Amino acid sequence: MLIDRLSPVLERLPLLPFLFRVYERAVALTPRHYRRNRTASFAPDALPIPPPHLMMTVAGSPESAVFFDGGYQAAAGIREILQRNEVAIEGRRSILDFGCGCGRVLRFWRDLPGTKVFGTDYNPELTAWCAANLPFAEIATNKLEPPTNYPAATFDFIYALSVFTHLPEAAQTAWMTEFYRILQPGGLLLLTLHGEHYASRLTESERREFRSGNLVVRYERSAGTNLCNVFHPEAYVRRNWDKEFEVIDFIAEGARGNPRQDVWLFRRR
Ligand SMILES: C[S@@+](CC[C@H](N)C(=O)[O-])C[C@H]1O[C@@H](n2cnc3c(N)ncnc32)[C@H](O)[C@@H]1O
C-alpha cells in the first residue's frame, strides 16, 4: 500500500505525533459524529461521558456508544479471564488500570466493595478528565517511561488494555520491570496485544520479522499515540518476560472490548 511505502518518510517528520492529535480532534468534530453525540452527556451508568476527541484518542471512535459498549465488554472480559483462573475481581485489594485513558474501563469498577481502584496514563488531558469525573478512583499521570510514584508491592492486579500495542520495545521492557516492582509477589498482570490476527496487515518484511518471533514496531517516534503500532508474536511474549512473569493464561484474539487483540494473564514471580 502507498501508506506503507511512505511510512519511512512520514516517520521522520518531527511534528508527526502532534499532527496525529490534530487529526484525532478533526475526526471527532465531523458533523456526523457531532450530531450523534449531541444528546448524550451521561452514559447508562449515570457517569459523565468524555468529550469526543478524548474518546477518539482511546477508542479510535469519538462516539459515546462505541466508547461505553467497548468499555463494558472489556470490563466483562477482565472478569471472565480472571474467573476462568479462579480469581474474582472483588477479591483484589488494590487494582491499577495502566494507560487508563479517559476511564473507558475504569468506570466499571465504581461499585467494587473493598477494592482500591487506581488509574494512570501519560496523557495529562485524559487523566485530568478521569480525576474530575471518576471520583471513586485515584488518578495519576506518569511519564512515557517509568518509574511511577507508587510504592513497591502496591497492587495485586494491574491491567493494561491496548497500551503495549503503542509502545516501543525499550519502553515495554522498562514498564515490565516497573510492574514487577509495584505488584505484590503472586500479583496478576493482564495485557492485551496485537498478535497473529494482525499478521495479515503487515508488509512482507514485517511479516517475516513477526514469523521469526520478533516484535514489529511502526512509527516508533510517535510512541504512546495510536499511530505507533506494535505487533507481538506469541513466541516473543513467552521468551522475553518469563524471568519476572509466569504466563498463566493466553487467549488468542480473546480481548473483549479490544477486538481482535490477544489477551495474556501473567503472575508475578
Ligand atoms: C488505545 S488507548 C487505550 C486506553 C484504555 N486502556 C482503554 O482500553 O480504553 C492507549 C492508551 O495508552 C496510553 N499510554 C500510551 N503510552 C503510555 C505510557 N507510557 N504510560 C501510560 N499510558 C500510556 C495512551 O495515552 C492511551 O490512553
Side-chain angles (χ1 to χ4, degrees):
M1 275 167 70
L2 181 64
I3 192 73
D4 293 332
R5 268 186 268 143
L6 284 178
S7 67
V9 180
L10 290 174
E11 194 143 12
R12 278 199 284 277
L13 288 177
L15 283 178
L16 193 61
F18 168 75
L19 293 174
F20 188 69
R21 292 267 186 250
V22 172
Y23 157 78
E24 286 180 327
R25 275 178 193 256
V27 172
L29 286 172
T30 55
R32 185 168 61 104
H33 294 307
Y34 180 77
R35 267 198 307 278
R36 284 204 194 146
N37 279 326
R38 199 175 36 187
T39 49
S41 57
F42 284 87
D45 59 7
L47 288 169
I49 292 175
H53 70 282
L54 296 189
M55 293 192 284
M56 178 72 194
T57 299
V58 306
S61 161
E63 292 199 15
S64 52
V66 174
F67 175 81
F68 187 82
D69 294 345
Y72 175 83
Q73 289 296 330
I78 290 175
R79 282 183 179 280
E80 233 169 61
I81 189 167
L82 289 178
Q83 260 158 21
R84 70 184 224 156
N85 289 280
E86 291 166 11
V87 175
I89 192 135
E90 284 78 6
R92 301 282 101 182
R93 282 195 306 114
S94 183
I95 67 178
L96 175 66
D97 183 330
F98 178 77
C100 62
C102 49
R104 189 179 71 110
V105 180
L106 198 63
R107 60 193 297 140
F108 291 98
W109 310 133
R110 177 180 53 180
D111 298 325
L112 284 184
T115 304
K116 277 204 219 160
V117 178
F118 296 79
T120 188
D121 200 287
Y122 90 111
N123 180 333
E125 211 184 346
L126 298 171
T127 52
W129 189 89
C130 288
N133 293 284
L134 305 177
F136 59 90
E138 193 171 305
I139 304 297
T141 308
N142 58 269
K143 297 264 174 9
L144 197 59
E145 304 240 352
T148 60
N149 291 325
Y150 304 116
T154 300
F155 303 105
D156 52 8
F157 179 43
I158 298 176
Y159 63 89
L161 304 184
S162 196
V163 181
F164 277 25
T165 44
H166 307 292
L167 280 181
E169 187 166 25
Q172 291 185 26
T173 307
W175 279 112
M176 287 304 266
T177 304
E178 177 68 354
F179 293 160
Y180 183 83
R181 184 185 73 80
I182 61 180
L183 265 174
Q184 294 160 13
L188 299 178
L189 170 67
L190 184 154
L191 301 178
T192 72
L193 304 172
H194 292 137
E196 180 63 37
H197 171 77
Y198 294 84
S200 61
R201 300 193 188 173
L202 301 178
T203 63
E204 244 172 70
S205 65
E206 287 173 334
R207 203 172 308 123
R208 262 197 309 278
E209 276 299 296
F210 186 87
R211 295 265 186 263
S212 311
N214 296 319
L215 209 61
V216 173
V217 182
R218 284 183 176 172
Y219 293 100
E220 178 152 2
R221 291 178 187 202
S222 302
T225 73
N226 292 338
L227 188 61
C228 173
N229 266 291
V230 183
F231 304 86
H232 290 78
E234 185 181 339
Y236 175 91
V237 175
R238 295 192 184 277
R239 189 174 71 234
N240 279 275
W241 299 331
D242 183 61
K243 208 171 125 225
E244 293 158 327
F245 295 94
E246 172 196 4
V247 174
I248 60 171
D249 207 349
F250 165 65
I251 311 173
E253 300 184 30
R256 285 180 62 186
N258 290 289
R260 306 234 193 128
Q261 295 186 22
D262 295 343
V263 58
W264 291 84
L265 187 63
F266 305 87
R267 180 177 288 122
R268 180 205 189 277
R269 294 192 189 275

